[in-house]
Amino acid sequence: PDQWKKMGVLAIEMEAAGLYMNAARYGKRALCICTISDHVLTGEETTSEERQTAFTTMMKVALDTAVAMENK
């Protein structure tokens, strides 16, 4: 984490690369929306309950975007 901090890295995400590669492979469109849940530099974390209940705005944006993409 200290090296990441020196490089200006603010977040880490693992699944989007696989999502985009699979979409490209099959000629599909893909979109990733990320919400930060844990801070790798400070150790601050959200609980599983917080992740289930506090990210509703992100979920709504994701679902609205998916519907909008489907209609294009």
Side-chain angles (χ1 to χ4, degrees), residues 8-44:
V9 173
L10 300 176
I12 301 166
E13 196 288 322
M14 300 181 309
E15 288 78 15
L19 172 71
Y20 288 128
M21 289 190 311
N22 279 300
R25 168 86 164 84
Y26 294 102
K28 303 295 181 180
R29 297 185 306 168
L31 178 64
C32 177
I33 299 174
C34 301
T35 298
I36 307 300
S37 62
D38 303 325
H39 196 300
V40 297
L41 300 177
T42 67
E44 185 178 1

mmCIF file of all heavy atoms in Angstrom, residues 8-44:
data_model
loop_
_atom_site.group_PDB
_atom_site.id
_atom_site.type_symbol
_atom_site.label_atom_id
_atom_site.label_comp_id
_atom_site.label_asym_id
_atom_site.label_seq_id
_atom_site.Cartn_x
_atom_site.Cartn_y
_atom_site.Cartn_z
ATOM 1 N N GLY A 8 0.008 7.463 -6.323
ATOM 2 C CA GLY A 8 -1.276 8.139 -6.417
ATOM 3 C C GLY A 8 -2.468 7.213 -6.562
ATOM 4 O O GLY A 8 -3.563 7.654 -6.882
ATOM 5 N N VAL A 9 -2.269 5.913 -6.327
ATOM 6 C CA VAL A 9 -3.373 4.965 -6.411
ATOM 7 C C VAL A 9 -4.346 5.239 -5.269
ATOM 8 O O VAL A 9 -3.956 5.295 -4.114
ATOM 9 C CB VAL A 9 -2.849 3.507 -6.343
ATOM 10 C CG1 VAL A 9 -4.002 2.522 -6.262
ATOM 11 C CG2 VAL A 9 -1.966 3.214 -7.541
ATOM 12 N N LEU A 10 -5.614 5.397 -5.613
ATOM 13 C CA LEU A 10 -6.628 5.702 -4.611
ATOM 14 C C LEU A 10 -7.563 4.526 -4.340
ATOM 15 O O LEU A 10 -8.243 4.497 -3.326
ATOM 16 C CB LEU A 10 -7.463 6.901 -5.053
ATOM 17 C CG LEU A 10 -6.685 8.199 -5.268
ATOM 18 C CD1 LEU A 10 -7.609 9.285 -5.788
ATOM 19 C CD2 LEU A 10 -6.015 8.634 -3.978
ATOM 20 N N ALA A 11 -7.630 3.567 -5.266
ATOM 21 C CA ALA A 11 -8.549 2.447 -5.098
ATOM 22 C C ALA A 11 -8.048 1.246 -5.886
ATOM 23 O O ALA A 11 -7.244 1.387 -6.808
ATOM 24 C CB ALA A 11 -9.944 2.829 -5.578
ATOM 25 N N ILE A 12 -8.521 0.080 -5.491
ATOM 26 C CA ILE A 12 -8.157 -1.171 -6.153
ATOM 27 C C ILE A 12 -9.439 -1.880 -6.543
ATOM 28 O O ILE A 12 -10.369 -1.967 -5.749
ATOM 29 C CB ILE A 12 -7.353 -2.076 -5.198
ATOM 30 C CG1 ILE A 12 -6.100 -1.363 -4.733
ATOM 31 C CG2 ILE A 12 -7.010 -3.398 -5.865
ATOM 32 C CD1 ILE A 12 -5.441 -2.031 -3.557
ATOM 33 N N GLU A 13 -9.485 -2.397 -7.750
ATOM 34 C CA GLU A 13 -10.665 -3.099 -8.231
ATOM 35 C C GLU A 13 -10.192 -4.324 -8.993
ATOM 36 O O GLU A 13 -9.236 -4.246 -9.747
ATOM 37 C CB GLU A 13 -11.475 -2.163 -9.131
ATOM 38 C CG GLU A 13 -12.887 -2.596 -9.388
ATOM 39 C CD GLU A 13 -13.004 -3.776 -10.302
ATOM 40 O OE1 GLU A 13 -12.235 -3.875 -11.262
ATOM 41 O OE2 GLU A 13 -13.872 -4.617 -10.053
ATOM 42 N N MET A 14 -10.829 -5.458 -8.812
ATOM 43 C CA MET A 14 -10.333 -6.690 -9.425
ATOM 44 C C MET A 14 -11.223 -7.240 -10.536
ATOM 45 O O MET A 14 -10.722 -7.852 -11.462
ATOM 46 C CB MET A 14 -10.173 -7.771 -8.357
ATOM 47 C CG MET A 14 -9.216 -7.398 -7.262
ATOM 48 S SD MET A 14 -8.996 -8.685 -6.014
ATOM 49 C CE MET A 14 -10.644 -9.099 -5.537
ATOM 50 N N GLU A 15 -12.514 -7.067 -10.457
ATOM 51 C CA GLU A 15 -13.410 -7.779 -11.353
ATOM 52 C C GLU A 15 -13.650 -7.111 -12.701
ATOM 53 O O GLU A 15 -13.994 -7.777 -13.672
ATOM 54 C CB GLU A 15 -14.757 -8.025 -10.669
ATOM 55 C CG GLU A 15 -14.706 -9.062 -9.574
ATOM 56 C CD GLU A 15 -14.129 -8.552 -8.256
ATOM 57 O OE1 GLU A 15 -14.033 -7.316 -8.096
ATOM 58 O OE2 GLU A 15 -13.767 -9.382 -7.410
ATOM 59 N N ALA A 16 -13.485 -5.798 -12.802
ATOM 60 C CA ALA A 16 -13.822 -5.088 -14.039
ATOM 61 C C ALA A 16 -12.990 -5.548 -15.229
ATOM 62 O O ALA A 16 -13.505 -5.641 -16.334
ATOM 63 C CB ALA A 16 -13.681 -3.586 -13.857
ATOM 64 N N ALA A 17 -11.720 -5.856 -15.019
ATOM 65 C CA ALA A 17 -10.882 -6.302 -16.137
ATOM 66 C C ALA A 17 -11.464 -7.564 -16.772
ATOM 67 O O ALA A 17 -11.556 -7.665 -18.003
ATOM 68 C CB ALA A 17 -9.452 -6.550 -15.660
ATOM 69 N N GLY A 18 -11.870 -8.508 -15.958
ATOM 70 C CA GLY A 18 -12.482 -9.733 -16.477
ATOM 71 C C GLY A 18 -13.796 -9.447 -17.186
ATOM 72 O O GLY A 18 -14.095 -10.022 -18.236
ATOM 73 N N LEU A 19 -14.584 -8.542 -16.627
ATOM 74 C CA LEU A 19 -15.853 -8.157 -17.248
ATOM 75 C C LEU A 19 -15.617 -7.575 -18.634
ATOM 76 O O LEU A 19 -16.249 -7.993 -19.612
ATOM 77 C CB LEU A 19 -16.562 -7.130 -16.364
ATOM 78 C CG LEU A 19 -17.815 -6.481 -16.945
ATOM 79 C CD1 LEU A 19 -18.950 -7.487 -17.007
ATOM 80 C CD2 LEU A 19 -18.211 -5.273 -16.111
ATOM 81 N N TYR A 20 -14.672 -6.647 -18.749
ATOM 82 C CA TYR A 20 -14.401 -6.001 -20.032
ATOM 83 C C TYR A 20 -13.781 -6.967 -21.037
ATOM 84 O O TYR A 20 -14.095 -6.923 -22.226
ATOM 85 C CB TYR A 20 -13.509 -4.771 -19.847
ATOM 86 C CG TYR A 20 -14.227 -3.611 -19.195
ATOM 87 C CD1 TYR A 20 -13.706 -2.972 -18.086
ATOM 88 C CD2 TYR A 20 -15.441 -3.150 -19.703
ATOM 89 C CE1 TYR A 20 -14.368 -1.913 -17.495
ATOM 90 C CE2 TYR A 20 -16.106 -2.096 -19.111
ATOM 91 C CZ TYR A 20 -15.569 -1.479 -18.014
ATOM 92 O OH TYR A 20 -16.223 -0.432 -17.430
ATOM 93 N N MET A 21 -12.915 -7.851 -20.589
ATOM 94 C CA MET A 21 -12.311 -8.822 -21.516
ATOM 95 C C MET A 21 -13.372 -9.778 -22.059
ATOM 96 O O MET A 21 -13.380 -10.099 -23.248
ATOM 97 C CB MET A 21 -11.178 -9.579 -20.844
ATOM 98 C CG MET A 21 -9.956 -8.711 -20.617
ATOM 99 S SD MET A 21 -8.459 -9.571 -20.078
ATOM 100 C CE MET A 21 -9.017 -10.580 -18.737
ATOM 101 N N ASN A 22 -14.268 -10.240 -21.203
ATOM 102 C CA ASN A 22 -15.335 -11.128 -21.664
ATOM 103 C C ASN A 22 -16.278 -10.413 -22.620
ATOM 104 O O ASN A 22 -16.699 -10.986 -23.627
ATOM 105 C CB ASN A 22 -16.111 -11.707 -20.480
ATOM 106 C CG ASN A 22 -15.395 -12.877 -19.864
ATOM 107 O OD1 ASN A 22 -15.146 -13.876 -20.525
ATOM 108 N ND2 ASN A 22 -15.057 -12.764 -18.599
ATOM 109 N N ALA A 23 -16.601 -9.175 -22.332
ATOM 110 C CA ALA A 23 -17.461 -8.407 -23.235
ATOM 111 C C ALA A 23 -16.796 -8.236 -24.592
ATOM 112 O O ALA A 23 -17.438 -8.422 -25.631
ATOM 113 C CB ALA A 23 -17.786 -7.053 -22.616
ATOM 114 N N ALA A 24 -15.514 -7.900 -24.601
ATOM 115 C CA ALA A 24 -14.794 -7.736 -25.862
ATOM 116 C C ALA A 24 -14.749 -9.051 -26.642
ATOM 117 O O ALA A 24 -14.940 -9.073 -27.854
ATOM 118 C CB ALA A 24 -13.379 -7.226 -25.595
ATOM 119 N N ARG A 25 -14.511 -10.132 -25.944
ATOM 120 C CA ARG A 25 -14.422 -11.459 -26.577
ATOM 121 C C ARG A 25 -15.706 -11.828 -27.295
ATOM 122 O O ARG A 25 -15.706 -12.419 -28.370
ATOM 123 C CB ARG A 25 -14.095 -12.502 -25.509
ATOM 124 C CG ARG A 25 -14.251 -13.943 -25.914
ATOM 125 C CD ARG A 25 -12.978 -14.455 -26.592
ATOM 126 N NE ARG A 25 -12.924 -15.889 -26.664
ATOM 127 C CZ ARG A 25 -13.509 -16.623 -27.631
ATOM 128 N NH1 ARG A 25 -14.194 -16.031 -28.565
ATOM 129 N NH2 ARG A 25 -13.389 -17.924 -27.643
ATOM 130 N N TYR A 26 -16.846 -11.472 -26.708
ATOM 131 C CA TYR A 26 -18.134 -11.856 -27.270
ATOM 132 C C TYR A 26 -18.859 -10.717 -27.971
ATOM 133 O O TYR A 26 -20.037 -10.838 -28.310
ATOM 134 C CB TYR A 26 -19.013 -12.465 -26.171
ATOM 135 C CG TYR A 26 -18.434 -13.768 -25.681
ATOM 136 C CD1 TYR A 26 -17.737 -13.845 -24.481
ATOM 137 C CD2 TYR A 26 -18.547 -14.929 -26.452
ATOM 138 C CE1 TYR A 26 -17.188 -15.036 -24.044
ATOM 139 C CE2 TYR A 26 -17.991 -16.128 -26.019
ATOM 140 C CZ TYR A 26 -17.319 -16.173 -24.824
ATOM 141 O OH TYR A 26 -16.758 -17.352 -24.400
ATOM 142 N N GLY A 27 -18.146 -9.599 -28.195
ATOM 143 C CA GLY A 27 -18.733 -8.484 -28.928
ATOM 144 C C GLY A 27 -19.887 -7.808 -28.193
ATOM 145 O O GLY A 27 -20.814 -7.318 -28.825
ATOM 146 N N LYS A 28 -19.820 -7.778 -26.890
ATOM 147 C CA LYS A 28 -20.873 -7.178 -26.075
ATOM 148 C C LYS A 28 -20.385 -5.882 -25.441
ATOM 149 O O LYS A 28 -19.197 -5.590 -25.413
ATOM 150 C CB LYS A 28 -21.316 -8.139 -24.964
ATOM 151 C CG LYS A 28 -21.793 -9.476 -25.459
ATOM 152 C CD LYS A 28 -23.054 -9.330 -26.270
ATOM 153 C CE LYS A 28 -23.538 -10.691 -26.752
ATOM 154 N NZ LYS A 28 -24.761 -10.593 -27.532
ATOM 155 N N ARG A 29 -21.309 -5.104 -24.923
ATOM 156 C CA ARG A 29 -20.970 -3.889 -24.195
ATOM 157 C C ARG A 29 -20.913 -4.203 -22.709
ATOM 158 O O ARG A 29 -21.636 -5.083 -22.225
ATOM 159 C CB ARG A 29 -21.998 -2.800 -24.450
ATOM 160 C CG ARG A 29 -22.045 -2.381 -25.917
ATOM 161 C CD ARG A 29 -22.956 -1.233 -26.175
ATOM 162 N NE ARG A 29 -24.304 -1.481 -25.666
ATOM 163 C CZ ARG A 29 -25.235 -0.540 -25.567
ATOM 164 N NH1 ARG A 29 -24.987 0.689 -25.935
ATOM 165 N NH2 ARG A 29 -26.430 -0.827 -25.105
ATOM 166 N N ALA A 30 -20.069 -3.498 -21.992
ATOM 167 C CA ALA A 30 -19.941 -3.713 -20.544
ATOM 168 C C ALA A 30 -19.705 -2.377 -19.856
ATOM 169 O O ALA A 30 -19.157 -1.453 -20.448
ATOM 170 C CB ALA A 30 -18.795 -4.669 -20.252
ATOM 171 N N LEU A 31 -20.136 -2.313 -18.623
ATOM 172 C CA LEU A 31 -19.932 -1.112 -17.825
ATOM 173 C C LEU A 31 -19.725 -1.530 -16.381
ATOM 174 O O LEU A 31 -20.403 -2.417 -15.873
ATOM 175 C CB LEU A 31 -21.158 -0.193 -17.909
ATOM 176 C CG LEU A 31 -21.104 1.091 -17.089
ATOM 177 C CD1 LEU A 31 -19.978 2.000 -17.589
ATOM 178 C CD2 LEU A 31 -22.437 1.810 -17.155
ATOM 179 N N CYS A 32 -18.777 -0.911 -15.724
ATOM 180 C CA CYS A 32 -18.502 -1.198 -14.323
ATOM 181 C C CYS A 32 -18.716 0.075 -13.515
ATOM 182 O O CYS A 32 -18.217 1.137 -13.887
ATOM 183 C CB CYS A 32 -17.056 -1.679 -14.165
ATOM 184 S SG CYS A 32 -16.595 -1.981 -12.461
ATOM 185 N N ILE A 33 -19.482 -0.038 -12.453
ATOM 186 C CA ILE A 33 -19.671 1.059 -11.513
ATOM 187 C C ILE A 33 -19.126 0.577 -10.179
ATOM 188 O O ILE A 33 -19.551 -0.457 -9.674
ATOM 189 C CB ILE A 33 -21.147 1.453 -11.387
ATOM 190 C CG1 ILE A 33 -21.684 1.923 -12.740
ATOM 191 C CG2 ILE A 33 -21.326 2.520 -10.313
ATOM 192 C CD1 ILE A 33 -23.160 2.193 -12.757
ATOM 193 N N CYS A 34 -18.182 1.310 -9.627
ATOM 194 C CA CYS A 34 -17.524 0.871 -8.392
ATOM 195 C C CYS A 34 -17.857 1.804 -7.235
ATOM 196 O O CYS A 34 -17.935 3.017 -7.410
ATOM 197 C CB CYS A 34 -16.005 0.862 -8.587
ATOM 198 S SG CYS A 34 -15.463 -0.223 -9.910
ATOM 199 N N THR A 35 -18.034 1.214 -6.083
ATOM 200 C CA THR A 35 -18.211 1.962 -4.848
ATOM 201 C C THR A 35 -17.113 1.528 -3.894
ATOM 202 O O THR A 35 -16.882 0.336 -3.716
ATOM 203 C CB THR A 35 -19.588 1.675 -4.223
ATOM 204 O OG1 THR A 35 -20.601 2.100 -5.142
ATOM 205 C CG2 THR A 35 -19.767 2.415 -2.911
ATOM 206 N N ILE A 36 -16.432 2.471 -3.312
ATOM 207 C CA ILE A 36 -15.336 2.159 -2.399
ATOM 208 C C ILE A 36 -15.918 1.701 -1.062
ATOM 209 O O ILE A 36 -16.737 2.389 -0.456
ATOM 210 C CB ILE A 36 -14.440 3.398 -2.176
ATOM 211 C CG1 ILE A 36 -13.965 3.980 -3.505
ATOM 212 C CG2 ILE A 36 -13.285 3.060 -1.246
ATOM 213 C CD1 ILE A 36 -13.157 3.054 -4.354
ATOM 214 N N SER A 37 -15.456 0.546 -0.585
ATOM 215 C CA SER A 37 -15.964 0.025 0.683
ATOM 216 C C SER A 37 -14.883 -0.038 1.759
ATOM 217 O O SER A 37 -15.203 0.014 2.943
ATOM 218 C CB SER A 37 -16.559 -1.360 0.479
ATOM 219 O OG SER A 37 -15.565 -2.254 0.018
ATOM 220 N N ASP A 38 -13.636 -0.164 1.365
ATOM 221 C CA ASP A 38 -12.543 -0.292 2.328
ATOM 222 C C ASP A 38 -11.386 0.611 1.906
ATOM 223 O O ASP A 38 -11.146 0.795 0.723
ATOM 224 C CB ASP A 38 -12.040 -1.733 2.408
ATOM 225 C CG ASP A 38 -13.150 -2.720 2.768
ATOM 226 O OD1 ASP A 38 -14.038 -2.342 3.546
ATOM 227 O OD2 ASP A 38 -13.118 -3.848 2.265
ATOM 228 N N HIS A 39 -10.663 1.139 2.872
ATOM 229 C CA HIS A 39 -9.531 2.025 2.610
ATOM 230 C C HIS A 39 -8.250 1.249 2.903
ATOM 231 O O HIS A 39 -7.945 0.964 4.060
ATOM 232 C CB HIS A 39 -9.635 3.275 3.493
ATOM 233 C CG HIS A 39 -8.761 4.390 3.051
ATOM 234 N ND1 HIS A 39 -7.391 4.288 2.966
ATOM 235 C CD2 HIS A 39 -9.067 5.652 2.671
ATOM 236 C CE1 HIS A 39 -6.881 5.430 2.565
ATOM 237 N NE2 HIS A 39 -7.881 6.272 2.370
ATOM 238 N N VAL A 40 -7.496 0.900 1.853
ATOM 239 C CA VAL A 40 -6.317 0.051 2.041
ATOM 240 C C VAL A 40 -5.183 0.743 2.789
ATOM 241 O O VAL A 40 -4.339 0.076 3.374
ATOM 242 C CB VAL A 40 -5.789 -0.519 0.707
ATOM 243 C CG1 VAL A 40 -6.817 -1.425 0.062
ATOM 244 C CG2 VAL A 40 -5.367 0.580 -0.242
ATOM 245 N N LEU A 41 -5.154 2.060 2.770
ATOM 246 C CA LEU A 41 -4.066 2.768 3.439
ATOM 247 C C LEU A 41 -4.334 2.983 4.929
ATOM 248 O O LEU A 41 -3.416 2.910 5.744
ATOM 249 C CB LEU A 41 -3.797 4.106 2.750
ATOM 250 C CG LEU A 41 -3.386 4.009 1.284
ATOM 251 C CD1 LEU A 41 -3.205 5.399 0.683
ATOM 252 C CD2 LEU A 41 -2.123 3.189 1.121
ATOM 253 N N THR A 42 -5.593 3.239 5.282
ATOM 254 C CA THR A 42 -5.906 3.498 6.691
ATOM 255 C C THR A 42 -6.464 2.278 7.414
ATOM 256 O O THR A 42 -6.515 2.258 8.635
ATOM 257 C CB THR A 42 -6.947 4.628 6.823
ATOM 258 O OG1 THR A 42 -8.196 4.166 6.275
ATOM 259 C CG2 THR A 42 -6.481 5.889 6.132
ATOM 260 N N GLY A 43 -6.914 1.289 6.641
ATOM 261 C CA GLY A 43 -7.527 0.109 7.239
ATOM 262 C C GLY A 43 -9.002 0.286 7.541
ATOM 263 O O GLY A 43 -9.657 -0.628 8.040
ATOM 264 N N GLU A 44 -9.551 1.453 7.249
ATOM 265 C CA GLU A 44 -10.973 1.696 7.489
ATOM 266 C C GLU A 44 -11.806 0.772 6.601
ATOM 267 O O GLU A 44 -11.522 0.621 5.412
ATOM 268 C CB GLU A 44 -11.306 3.160 7.178
ATOM 269 C CG GLU A 44 -12.706 3.565 7.498
ATOM 270 C CD GLU A 44 -12.962 5.037 7.205
ATOM 271 O OE1 GLU A 44 -12.050 5.736 6.740
ATOM 272 O OE2 GLU A 44 -14.077 5.481 7.458
#
